[in-house]
Amino acid sequence: MCIRGVKSSWIEVLSGVPQGSVLGPILFLIYIDDLDFGIRNWILKFADNQNFSRINNSLDSERLQSDLLQLVRWSEEWQMLFNVNKCKVMHIGKQNQQRQYFMHDQCLEVVCQEKDLGILISNDLKVSQQCQQTYKASRILGLINRTIEYKHTDILLRLCKSLVRLTLNIA
């Protein structure tokens, strides 16, 4: 690169992009752009999260397992392995066959509820847990509003980050 007649020198890059860099998210999206090539089930990609859905019968279950193996092959080829301990399966519906799925020869954990992008999703698709957390958070906000006299932005922000986020389990 050349800026105002000064050229930067080449440097050997051994791994990754610094977290928080301006180009990091764009480079990551370019890097994983072909992640879903060959995947037959519907996949939703958001940042570093991928979700599969619409598994209706045993053929769909076999396709999902095949897609998981395809993802494992992609991750090995591009040296970006999935953290299998963070990969989960949620069975939804009464007719669900409750099949087990595997990645790297490890059975994926079956969960009854999971937080996805800040929303608590349960296998019965009821929102009661999410509503309960939101209600607790709104009560804490009311408590802060009633008890804090000096409402400086910095103080309110710290209180919300420490108390409200804790209630909502937001990192």
Side-chain angles (χ1 to χ4, degrees):
M1 178 180 283
C2 183
I3 298 175
R4 295 185 185 151
V6 178
K7 289 185 178 180
S8 60
S9 58
W10 288 96
I11 184 170
E12 184 178 358
V13 178
L14 301 176
S15 69
V17 175
Q19 189 170 359
S21 69
V22 175
L23 288 177
I26 294 169
L27 292 174
F28 180 76
L29 290 174
I30 292 169
Y31 191 78
I32 67 162
D33 184 54
D34 66 342
L35 174 76
D36 55 357
F37 286 174
I39 302 295
R40 295 181 290 178
N41 282 298
W42 186 73
I43 184 171
L44 175 65
K45 295 189 284 188
F46 183 80
D48 61 348
N49 294 323
Q50 288 77 39
N51 294 326
F52 288 100
S53 65
R54 282 201 88 167
I55 310 302
N56 295 322
N57 55 42
S58 61
L59 179 60
D60 287 341
S61 296
E62 290 171 18
R63 282 188 191 148
L64 176 59
Q65 184 58 61
S66 173
D67 287 346
L68 290 171
L69 293 174
Q70 175 71 20
L71 286 174
V72 168
R73 282 192 293 274
W74 180 92
S75 72
E76 289 170 346
E77 179 182 347
W78 291 100
Q79 300 175 7
M80 194 168 95
L81 301 179
F82 288 97
N83 184 345
V84 179
N85 295 327
K86 289 185 174 183
C87 297
K88 312 257 192 290
V89 174
M90 183 182 296
H91 298 290
I92 298 173
K94 294 177 182 175
Q95 303 297 322
N96 195 298
Q97 297 175 354
Q98 309 281 315
R99 182 170 173 188
Q100 291 183 326
Y101 296 97
F102 297 85
M103 289 180 78
H104 292 291
D105 297 323
Q106 184 177 340
C107 185
L108 299 181
E109 178 187 356
V110 176
V111 296
C112 294
Q113 65 181 21
E114 185 69 20
K115 189 161 272 200
D116 187 33
L117 302 176
I119 304 296
L120 191 61
I121 300 171
S122 63
N123 61 352
D124 60 4
L125 299 178
K126 293 184 179 175
V127 296
S128 56
Q129 289 284 358
Q130 180 73 34
C131 291
Q132 189 177 27
Q133 284 184 341
T134 306
Y135 174 71
K136 286 180 185 176
S138 70
R139 296 219 18 173
I140 291 171
L141 283 172
L143 177 70
I144 291 170
N145 187 41
R146 288 188 309 274
T147 58
I148 303 300
E149 213 170 292
Y150 181 65
K151 293 182 169 91
H152 187 269
T153 306
D154 189 46
I155 293 171
L156 291 175
L157 192 59
R158 287 180 189 203
L159 284 169
C160 285
K161 283 182 177 180
S162 62
L163 299 174
V164 177
R165 277 187 170 183
L166 182 66
T167 304
L168 295 173
N169 296 323
I170 298 173

